[in-house]
Amino acid sequence: MPLIIKDEYPEKLFREDGKRLDGREKNELRPIKMEVGVLKNADGSAYLEWGNNKIFAAVYGPRDVHPHHLAKPDRGILRVFYRMATYSVFERKRPAPGRREKEISMVISDCLEPVLFLELYPGTSFEVFIEVIDADGGTRCASTTVAALALADAGVPMRSLVTSVACGKIDGELVVDLSGIEDKAGEADLPCAMTWFNDQLSLLQFDGEMTLDEMNTSMDLASEALKKIYEMQLNALKEKYLAVREEVNQSQEIENIGGDE
Ligand code: ADP
């Protein structure tokens, strides 16, 4: 899939054959790949490729809070640091975290917090570092999704995973999972996130124009997409534990062979 690198808005966001510019149907997600346990030094980690987005998430905790004055005596705190690399977009991005990154960090933290048992960890923090190394629309949703995986990989007790996707309106049509160019040239963008333990939304942002009916239809589209992404998250976690089991079985086999000799 070609990366659209310049802010040249195309006249139309649908091709002659009715498909989107990247060849997708309206309810089709971009290709998604996920892997957990990708960083050796973090307590938990995950990597996600979602269309042209490439994102790492690393989790540390529970651990002491620095600066100490942020610690809460009756509960733990969740700190999320969403960053876009300077080389993640076509024009070099300034390295210092801007207003957008601070806002997205806060949004992701709000999405994830409902699934954590922070009350069990007074005086400590869980820190989630998110590095977007390639960005192409929907990075807050992709980051939330990969951060939830990294928390699970760290063995942090969770009520459930969290999954996020955006839907929106482009050229008057409702679509799921907006690419960067659709996000910029489209009429509306509606990122949402689902916490699966209670089937509730922990994020619903809205930018643009839509009727109430369109919003309801968009939520149906999002719901269908969220279920697919959730399955992928579960599979990514299962794959890691199947690999661990295979490793344990193999080392037991080697031990048994050693014992027989
Ligand atoms: P999201 O990534 O969650 O959709 P935005 O709507 O703010 O968040 O951004 C849409 C897209 O615009 C991003 O995914 C990225 O591709 C691009 N973008 C964001 N910030 C910058 C920037 N500073 N320079 C160039 N492109 C950017």
Side-chain angles (χ1 to χ4, degrees):
M1 199 187 305
L3 186 64
I4 299 172
I5 47 178
K6 277 192 174 164
D7 287 348
E8 290 165 353
Y9 295 176
E11 258 171 50
K12 289 187 181 157
L13 293 168
F14 284 97
R15 306 189 314 204
E16 291 289 305
D17 61 4
K19 292 192 174 169
R20 291 151 77 177
L21 293 183
D22 53 15
R24 283 186 291 155
E25 303 290 347
K26 286 179 228 163
N27 66 346
E28 194 177 338
L29 289 162
R30 290 174 282 181
I32 299 179
K33 274 201 305 197
M34 308 175 185
E35 199 181 336
V36 297
V38 291
L39 301 172
K40 173 167 79 65
N41 291 330
D43 293 330
S45 61
Y47 174 66
L48 173 69
E49 283 184 15
W50 182 326
N52 294 318
N53 293 312
K54 295 193 177 75
I55 307 175
F56 281 99
V59 169
Y60 293 86
R63 66 179 184 181
D64 285 348
V65 185
H66 295 288
H68 196 62
H69 68 87
L70 293 178
K72 297 213 166 124
D74 58 337
R75 62 197 291 271
I77 58 167
L78 173 67
R79 304 180 75 198
V80 175
F81 303 88
Y82 163 100
R83 297 285 180 267
M84 271 192 5
T86 49
Y87 50 84
S88 64
V89 285
F90 184 66
E91 296 284 345
R92 178 183 176 275
K93 184 201 146 285
R94 289 163 72 99
R99 196 190 53 80
R100 175 180 170 275
E101 282 161 304
K102 287 182 191 152
E103 182 221 312
I104 294 183
S105 300
M106 193 196 75
V107 163
I108 296 173
S109 173
D110 287 351
C111 283
L112 297 172
E113 209 174 303
V115 301
L116 299 179
F117 296 87
L118 291 177
E119 63 282 7
L120 300 182
Y121 301 91
T124 68
S125 70
F126 291 96
E127 291 179 323
V128 183
F129 297 93
I130 297 166
E131 302 292 335
V132 179
I133 54 175
D134 246 331
D136 186 29
T139 60
R140 78 195 59 208
C141 298
S143 298
T144 303
T145 304
V146 71
L149 269 186
L151 281 164
D153 182 51
V156 177
M158 294 164 81
R159 294 181 172 89
S160 73
L161 285 171
V162 184
T163 311
S164 179
V165 76
C167 41
K169 190 167 151 185
I170 59 170
D171 287 0
E173 303 280 347
L174 300 176
V175 297
V176 76
D177 185 20
L178 283 81
S179 66
I181 200 73
E182 290 174 340
D183 180 308
K184 292 195 184 80
E187 292 105 275
D189 176 25
L190 187 77
C192 61
M194 174 75 94
T195 52
W196 296 101
F197 74 96
N198 56 2
D199 284 349
Q200 292 207 354
L201 294 176
S202 62
L203 168 72
L204 187 61
Q205 288 190 298
F206 182 65
D207 180 16
E209 279 180 33
M210 240 186 223
T211 65
L212 198 52
D213 276 349
E214 284 173 334
M215 198 172 256
N216 284 330
T217 313
S218 299
M219 291 318 297
D220 291 341
L221 270 179
S223 160
E224 191 193 315
L226 285 167
K227 285 183 197 140
K228 290 183 196 157
I229 303 162
Y230 179 48
E231 278 302 313
M232 294 180 213
Q233 285 173 296
L234 293 178
N235 285 336
L237 285 169
K238 276 184 205 153
E239 255 169 48
K240 174 174 170 183
Y241 290 102
L242 286 178
V244 170
R245 195 157 72 183
E246 208 161 287
E247 227 172 84
V248 171
N249 286 345
Q250 273 175 3
S251 57
Q252 272 172 351
E253 269 171 35
I254 292 169
E255 263 175 40
N256 290 342
I257 292 168
D260 291 345
E261 279 169 0

